Amino acid sequence: MTLTRNDIVDLLSAAATVDLRKVGEADVTGWSAMIRQDLDRELAFEALRIHYATSSDRIMPAHINQIAIQIRKDRAEREDRLEREQRAALNDQRHGLEPVGAGSPIALNADGPPVPGAYEINGAIDRDCPTCEAEPMEPCTNPINGQARRMPCPSRMKAAA
């Protein structure tokens, strides 16, 4: 996902076709150090295209970073629930996290002594849990090992209708 040295060379070469800059090794090194590490080639080139379509300023790494962030925000605002869940699942998979969903355990050390404040959200502690079937005033439990959970199941925290 990170831009390679060759990607930076290509990016600077593309910029040079517009602003006629001369690109040297120091430019490549400097841009490599300043470009966000989470950008991919496609996003960086889209930011470059948008910059030169909307500005006559010579492009700098900060422009690429700022425009790329805005592109991501715009895409996230337009995606529907299914697309967002698919993106989250791919991100989790890339980072080696187990998917969390119906019937699967909550990840990231959710078991342990209940956190009182968490059970007070929307009065969760005062009603049955539709997921793990915990009774009022009892903590939710992990269906895999039966241990109490630090936080209630998300369905229990939803505001009562």
Side-chain angles (χ1 to χ4, degrees):
M1 178 151 183
T2 272
L3 291 169
T4 66
R5 181 188 181 288
N6 288 340
D7 292 333
I8 299 292
V9 169
D10 292 345
L11 193 64
L12 283 166
S13 297
T17 65
V18 177
D19 63 23
L20 305 176
R21 71 178 68 205
K22 296 204 183 300
V23 178
E25 188 60 37
D27 300 301
V28 175
T29 302
W31 274 61
S32 295
M34 290 179 264
I35 290 282
R36 290 176 59 100
Q37 296 298 307
D38 60 344
L39 298 187
D40 61 20
R41 181 183 175 93
E42 177 188 339
L43 187 57
F45 273 88
E46 180 66 8
L48 176 77
R49 186 195 66 74
I50 289 171
H51 175 78
Y52 279 124
T54 60
S55 174
S56 58
D57 294 338
R58 187 174 191 189
I59 196 160
M60 300 297 288
H63 295 122
I64 297 284
N65 292 337
Q66 291 166 353
I67 294 169
I69 289 169
Q70 189 59 49
I71 291 169
R72 284 186 179 155
K73 286 180 182 177
D74 292 344
R75 288 177 182 171
E77 288 173 1
R78 285 193 304 266
E79 71 185 357
D80 63 20
R81 182 187 58 81
L82 183 58
E83 291 170 327
R84 188 171 42 257
E85 288 173 0
Q86 288 173 339
R87 183 173 46 83
L90 288 173
N91 192 42
D92 288 350
Q93 183 181 18
R94 187 173 67 244
H95 293 288
L97 299 174
E98 292 293 321
V100 176
S104 67
I106 294 177
L108 304 176
N109 196 18
D111 295 343
V115 176
Y119 282 86
E120 292 173 8
I121 296 172
N122 294 327
I125 195 68
D126 297 325
R127 58 182 175 271
D128 292 337
C129 178
T131 303
C132 71
E133 301 177 353
E135 295 182 8
M137 304 308 288
E138 293 294 323
C140 288
T141 57
N142 182 331
I144 303 299
N145 60 22
Q147 291 184 347
R149 287 193 169 153
R150 296 178 194 274
M151 295 178 52
C153 297
S155 59
R156 189 176 186 184
M157 286 193 295
K158 289 183 181 175

